[in-house]
Amino acid sequence: MRVGFASDHGGFGLKSDFLKRLGELGYELLDYGAYEYDASDDFPDFVHPLAVALREGEVERAIAICGSGIGACIVANKVRGVRAALVGDSFSAHQGVEHDDMNFICIGARVVGRELAYELVSVFLQARFISSGRFLRRVKKIDNLDLGLR
């Protein structure tokens, strides 16, 4: 699975750790920045290109890490086809994929600990969308909203 990552300074250390740990598990990882720690960088500069890459099919799942995760989530959801959520618990990490076809997870590096954050990412990457019945119907409604349809 091709997985894209982005972070600002608030999530830089955690992202660096994820790239190493997940790379060892065989995921194909693409880093959309930040590439070095810079306390004055801005998360939209990294999260938006990642969200576009997800929309364009360059990556199958996306992970953004900033201080709270909130800003990254707001930016990601500005891109059509992205279904991003701020996640802080394991249930939401898999249920968001299974029920809502979440394809982008946002994590607050200053909110959740390193091991919980790794668990959230692992659960997110292993989950699969239940593409039938009410779940498929609901995601189609979400997609229609992206197109300006009701």
Side-chain angles (χ1 to χ4, degrees):
M1 177 186 297
R2 286 183 329 275
V3 182
F5 278 86
S7 72
D8 64 358
H9 60 279
F12 182 77
L14 191 56
K15 181 190 73 156
S16 298
D17 183 47
F18 282 169
L19 291 172
K20 180 178 186 273
R21 290 172 78 176
L22 292 171
E24 292 170 354
L25 295 177
Y27 290 101
E28 182 181 345
L29 306 175
L30 288 88
D31 187 353
Y32 289 82
Y35 304 110
E36 60 185 38
Y37 180 84
D38 178 352
S40 65
D41 64 13
D42 296 318
F43 59 86
D45 297 334
F46 310 110
V47 174
H48 185 261
L50 173 58
V52 170
L54 180 64
R55 179 190 67 204
E56 299 299 318
E58 294 172 25
V59 297
E60 297 165 72
R61 297 272 175 95
I63 300 161
I65 310 164
C66 66
S68 70
I70 295 170
C73 190
I74 291 169
V75 170
N77 280 308
K78 297 289 183 184
V79 176
R80 181 181 296 167
V82 171
R83 289 177 295 280
L86 173 61
V87 176
D89 64 275
S90 294
F91 175 78
S92 298
H94 72 80
Q95 189 269 346
V97 175
E98 294 164 356
H99 291 200
D100 306 311
D101 202 17
M102 175 177 66
N103 53 16
F104 198 120
I105 189 173
C106 301
I107 296 175
R110 296 178 181 153
V111 179
V112 300
R114 184 174 299 274
E115 289 308 312
L116 175 56
Y118 183 73
E119 178 184 331
L120 299 176
V121 168
S122 296
V123 168
F124 166 69
L125 293 176
Q126 293 171 29
R128 298 294 175 260
F129 177 54
I130 303 169
S131 59
S132 64
R134 63 185 172 148
F135 307 116
L136 187 58
R137 181 181 71 240
R138 291 171 182 165
V139 169
K140 285 182 180 180
K141 288 180 180 184
I142 293 168
D143 291 343
N144 283 340
L145 292 172
D146 270 346
L147 299 173
L149 307 172
R150 274 191 115 197

